[in-house]
PDB file of all heavy atoms in Angstrom:
ATOM      1  N   GLU A  17       9.630   3.897  -5.760  1.00  0.00           N
ATOM      2  CA  GLU A  17       9.157   2.517  -5.686  1.00  0.00           C
ATOM      3  C   GLU A  17       7.663   2.395  -5.966  1.00  0.00           C
ATOM      4  O   GLU A  17       7.240   1.469  -6.660  1.00  0.00           O
ATOM      5  CB  GLU A  17       9.509   1.930  -4.319  1.00  0.00           C
ATOM      6  CG  GLU A  17      11.016   1.764  -4.177  1.00  0.00           C
ATOM      7  CD  GLU A  17      11.460   1.531  -2.755  1.00  0.00           C
ATOM      8  OE1 GLU A  17      11.138   2.361  -1.889  1.00  0.00           O
ATOM      9  OE2 GLU A  17      12.123   0.505  -2.533  1.00  0.00           O
ATOM     10  N   THR A  18       6.873   3.315  -5.470  1.00  0.00           N
ATOM     11  CA  THR A  18       5.442   3.283  -5.763  1.00  0.00           C
ATOM     12  C   THR A  18       5.222   3.486  -7.261  1.00  0.00           C
ATOM     13  O   THR A  18       4.424   2.781  -7.871  1.00  0.00           O
ATOM     14  CB  THR A  18       4.695   4.356  -4.942  1.00  0.00           C
ATOM     15  OG1 THR A  18       4.764   3.994  -3.561  1.00  0.00           O
ATOM     16  CG2 THR A  18       3.245   4.482  -5.354  1.00  0.00           C
ATOM     17  N   VAL A  21       5.913   0.323  -9.224  1.00  0.00           N
ATOM     18  CA  VAL A  21       4.820  -0.642  -9.133  1.00  0.00           C
ATOM     19  C   VAL A  21       3.657  -0.217 -10.017  1.00  0.00           C
ATOM     20  O   VAL A  21       3.067  -1.045 -10.724  1.00  0.00           O
ATOM     21  CB  VAL A  21       4.368  -0.831  -7.665  1.00  0.00           C
ATOM     22  CG1 VAL A  21       3.129  -1.711  -7.589  1.00  0.00           C
ATOM     23  CG2 VAL A  21       5.498  -1.429  -6.843  1.00  0.00           C
ATOM     24  N   LEU A  22       3.330   1.062 -10.016  1.00  0.00           N
ATOM     25  CA  LEU A  22       2.242   1.541 -10.862  1.00  0.00           C
ATOM     26  C   LEU A  22       2.562   1.332 -12.342  1.00  0.00           C
ATOM     27  O   LEU A  22       1.686   0.955 -13.126  1.00  0.00           O
ATOM     28  CB  LEU A  22       1.946   3.011 -10.566  1.00  0.00           C
ATOM     29  CG  LEU A  22       1.356   3.282  -9.171  1.00  0.00           C
ATOM     30  CD1 LEU A  22       1.291   4.783  -8.912  1.00  0.00           C
ATOM     31  CD2 LEU A  22       0.003   2.624  -9.009  1.00  0.00           C
ATOM     32  N   MET A  25       1.969  -2.224 -13.115  1.00  0.00           N
ATOM     33  CA  MET A  25       0.531  -2.481 -13.224  1.00  0.00           C
ATOM     34  C   MET A  25       0.029  -2.075 -14.606  1.00  0.00           C
ATOM     35  O   MET A  25      -0.746  -2.812 -15.227  1.00  0.00           O
ATOM     36  CB  MET A  25      -0.228  -1.736 -12.124  1.00  0.00           C
ATOM     37  CG  MET A  25       0.020  -2.303 -10.734  1.00  0.00           C
ATOM     38  SD  MET A  25      -0.681  -1.291  -9.401  1.00  0.00           S
ATOM     39  CE  MET A  25      -2.434  -1.593  -9.639  1.00  0.00           C
ATOM     40  N   ILE A  38      -7.050  -1.477  -2.129  1.00  0.00           N
ATOM     41  CA  ILE A  38      -5.610  -1.422  -1.895  1.00  0.00           C
ATOM     42  C   ILE A  38      -5.399  -1.653  -0.409  1.00  0.00           C
ATOM     43  O   ILE A  38      -5.993  -0.983   0.437  1.00  0.00           O
ATOM     44  CB  ILE A  38      -5.015  -0.075  -2.343  1.00  0.00           C
ATOM     45  CG1 ILE A  38      -5.222   0.097  -3.851  1.00  0.00           C
ATOM     46  CG2 ILE A  38      -3.534  -0.002  -1.975  1.00  0.00           C
ATOM     47  CD1 ILE A  38      -4.696   1.396  -4.419  1.00  0.00           C
ATOM     48  N   ILE A  91      -1.891   7.158  -2.961  1.00  0.00           N
ATOM     49  CA  ILE A  91      -1.226   6.056  -2.255  1.00  0.00           C
ATOM     50  C   ILE A  91      -0.170   6.610  -1.307  1.00  0.00           C
ATOM     51  O   ILE A  91      -0.078   6.204  -0.143  1.00  0.00           O
ATOM     52  CB  ILE A  91      -0.615   5.057  -3.259  1.00  0.00           C
ATOM     53  CG1 ILE A  91      -1.734   4.301  -3.969  1.00  0.00           C
ATOM     54  CG2 ILE A  91       0.350   4.093  -2.560  1.00  0.00           C
ATOM     55  CD1 ILE A  91      -1.285   3.484  -5.155  1.00  0.00           C
ATOM     56  N   GLU A  95      -0.039   6.200   2.710  1.00  0.00           N
ATOM     57  CA  GLU A  95       1.138   5.595   3.344  1.00  0.00           C
ATOM     58  C   GLU A  95       1.686   6.494   4.452  1.00  0.00           C
ATOM     59  O   GLU A  95       2.032   6.004   5.534  1.00  0.00           O
ATOM     60  CB  GLU A  95       2.244   5.342   2.313  1.00  0.00           C
ATOM     61  CG  GLU A  95       2.001   4.161   1.437  1.00  0.00           C
ATOM     62  CD  GLU A  95       3.172   3.919   0.503  1.00  0.00           C
ATOM     63  OE1 GLU A  95       3.534   4.837  -0.258  1.00  0.00           O
ATOM     64  OE2 GLU A  95       3.727   2.819   0.563  1.00  0.00           O
ATOM     65  N   GLY A 111       4.565  -1.930   3.143  1.00  0.00           N
ATOM     66  CA  GLY A 111       4.164  -2.151   1.757  1.00  0.00           C
ATOM     67  C   GLY A 111       2.675  -2.024   1.545  1.00  0.00           C
ATOM     68  O   GLY A 111       1.895  -1.903   2.484  1.00  0.00           O
ATOM     69  N   TRP A 112       2.309  -2.036   0.281  1.00  0.00           N
ATOM     70  CA  TRP A 112       0.903  -1.987  -0.102  1.00  0.00           C
ATOM     71  C   TRP A 112       0.722  -2.899  -1.295  1.00  0.00           C
ATOM     72  O   TRP A 112       1.673  -3.249  -1.990  1.00  0.00           O
ATOM     73  CB  TRP A 112       0.444  -0.567  -0.425  1.00  0.00           C
ATOM     74  CG  TRP A 112       1.132   0.097  -1.587  1.00  0.00           C
ATOM     75  CD1 TRP A 112       2.269   0.848  -1.537  1.00  0.00           C
ATOM     76  CD2 TRP A 112       0.759   0.054  -2.965  1.00  0.00           C
ATOM     77  NE1 TRP A 112       2.609   1.283  -2.786  1.00  0.00           N
ATOM     78  CE2 TRP A 112       1.696   0.813  -3.678  1.00  0.00           C
ATOM     79  CE3 TRP A 112      -0.287  -0.547  -3.656  1.00  0.00           C
ATOM     80  CZ2 TRP A 112       1.620   0.981  -5.064  1.00  0.00           C
ATOM     81  CZ3 TRP A 112      -0.364  -0.376  -5.031  1.00  0.00           C
ATOM     82  CH2 TRP A 112       0.579   0.385  -5.724  1.00  0.00           C
ATOM     83  N   GLY A 113      -0.505  -3.313  -1.491  1.00  0.00           N
ATOM     84  CA  GLY A 113      -0.811  -4.165  -2.625  1.00  0.00           C
ATOM     85  C   GLY A 113      -2.280  -4.075  -2.963  1.00  0.00           C
ATOM     86  O   GLY A 113      -3.094  -3.659  -2.154  1.00  0.00           O
ATOM     87  N   CYS A 114      -2.599  -4.457  -4.181  1.00  0.00           N
ATOM     88  CA  CYS A 114      -3.986  -4.487  -4.623  1.00  0.00           C
ATOM     89  C   CYS A 114      -4.535  -5.891  -4.432  1.00  0.00           C
ATOM     90  O   CYS A 114      -3.765  -6.851  -4.312  1.00  0.00           O
ATOM     91  CB  CYS A 114      -4.080  -4.100  -6.092  1.00  0.00           C
ATOM     92  SG  CYS A 114      -3.580  -2.391  -6.390  1.00  0.00           S
ATOM     93  N   ALA A 118       0.665  -9.286  -4.148  1.00  0.00           N
ATOM     94  CA  ALA A 118       1.489  -9.258  -2.942  1.00  0.00           C
ATOM     95  C   ALA A 118       2.048  -7.859  -2.763  1.00  0.00           C
ATOM     96  O   ALA A 118       2.227  -7.126  -3.735  1.00  0.00           O
ATOM     97  CB  ALA A 118       2.624 -10.271  -3.069  1.00  0.00           C
ATOM     98  N   PRO A 119       2.375  -7.452  -1.517  1.00  0.00           N
ATOM     99  CA  PRO A 119       3.003  -6.141  -1.325  1.00  0.00           C
ATOM    100  C   PRO A 119       4.317  -6.060  -2.088  1.00  0.00           C
ATOM    101  O   PRO A 119       5.012  -7.064  -2.256  1.00  0.00           O
ATOM    102  CB  PRO A 119       3.258  -6.061   0.175  1.00  0.00           C
ATOM    103  CG  PRO A 119       2.415  -7.123   0.784  1.00  0.00           C
ATOM    104  CD  PRO A 119       2.194  -8.163  -0.273  1.00  0.00           C
ATOM    105  N   ALA A 120       4.643  -4.873  -2.539  1.00  0.00           N
ATOM    106  CA  ALA A 120       5.895  -4.664  -3.265  1.00  0.00           C
ATOM    107  C   ALA A 120       7.068  -4.824  -2.313  1.00  0.00           C
ATOM    108  O   ALA A 120       6.971  -4.592  -1.119  1.00  0.00           O
ATOM    109  CB  ALA A 120       5.917  -3.276  -3.880  1.00  0.00           C
ATOM    110  N   GLU A 121       8.197  -5.254  -2.850  1.00  0.00           N
ATOM    111  CA  GLU A 121       9.415  -5.404  -2.066  1.00  0.00           C
ATOM    112  C   GLU A 121      10.525  -4.596  -2.694  1.00  0.00           C
ATOM    113  O   GLU A 121      10.552  -4.386  -3.899  1.00  0.00           O
ATOM    114  CB  GLU A 121       9.829  -6.877  -2.012  1.00  0.00           C
ATOM    115  CG  GLU A 121       8.817  -7.754  -1.307  1.00  0.00           C
ATOM    116  CD  GLU A 121       9.241  -9.197  -1.252  1.00  0.00           C
ATOM    117  OE1 GLU A 121      10.207  -9.567  -1.949  1.00  0.00           O
ATOM    118  OE2 GLU A 121       8.610  -9.959  -0.527  1.00  0.00           O
ATOM    119  N   ASP A 128       8.770  -2.567   1.288  1.00  0.00           N
ATOM    120  CA  ASP A 128       9.264  -1.197   1.341  1.00  0.00           C
ATOM    121  C   ASP A 128       8.199  -0.134   1.517  1.00  0.00           C
ATOM    122  O   ASP A 128       8.517   1.046   1.543  1.00  0.00           O
ATOM    123  CB  ASP A 128      10.046  -0.879   0.071  1.00  0.00           C
ATOM    124  CG  ASP A 128       9.173  -0.936  -1.160  1.00  0.00           C
ATOM    125  OD1 ASP A 128       7.952  -1.136  -1.027  1.00  0.00           O
ATOM    126  OD2 ASP A 128       9.709  -0.745  -2.251  1.00  0.00           O
ATOM    127  N   GLY A 129       6.975  -0.510   1.618  1.00  0.00           N
ATOM    128  CA  GLY A 129       5.950   0.511   1.722  1.00  0.00           C
ATOM    129  C   GLY A 129       5.405   0.917   0.375  1.00  0.00           C
ATOM    130  O   GLY A 129       4.570   1.783   0.276  1.00  0.00           O
ATOM    131  N   ALA A 130       5.849   0.296  -0.676  1.00  0.00           N
ATOM    132  CA  ALA A 130       5.313   0.555  -2.001  1.00  0.00           C
ATOM    133  C   ALA A 130       4.605  -0.703  -2.463  1.00  0.00           C
ATOM    134  O   ALA A 130       4.808  -1.774  -1.949  1.00  0.00           O
ATOM    135  CB  ALA A 130       6.426   0.928  -2.975  1.00  0.00           C
ATOM    136  N   GLY A 131       3.892  -0.587  -3.499  1.00  0.00           N
ATOM    137  CA  GLY A 131       3.371  -1.789  -4.069  1.00  0.00           C
ATOM    138  C   GLY A 131       2.171  -1.680  -4.777  1.00  0.00           C
ATOM    139  O   GLY A 131       1.161  -1.725  -4.956  1.00  0.00           O
TER     140      GLY A 131
END
Side-chain angles (χ1 to χ4, degrees):
E17 292 165 304
T18 293
V21 173
L22 293 172
M25 290 172 71
I38 298 179
I91 290 169
E95 284 184 303
W112 62 270
C114 295
E121 296 180 348
D128 64 4

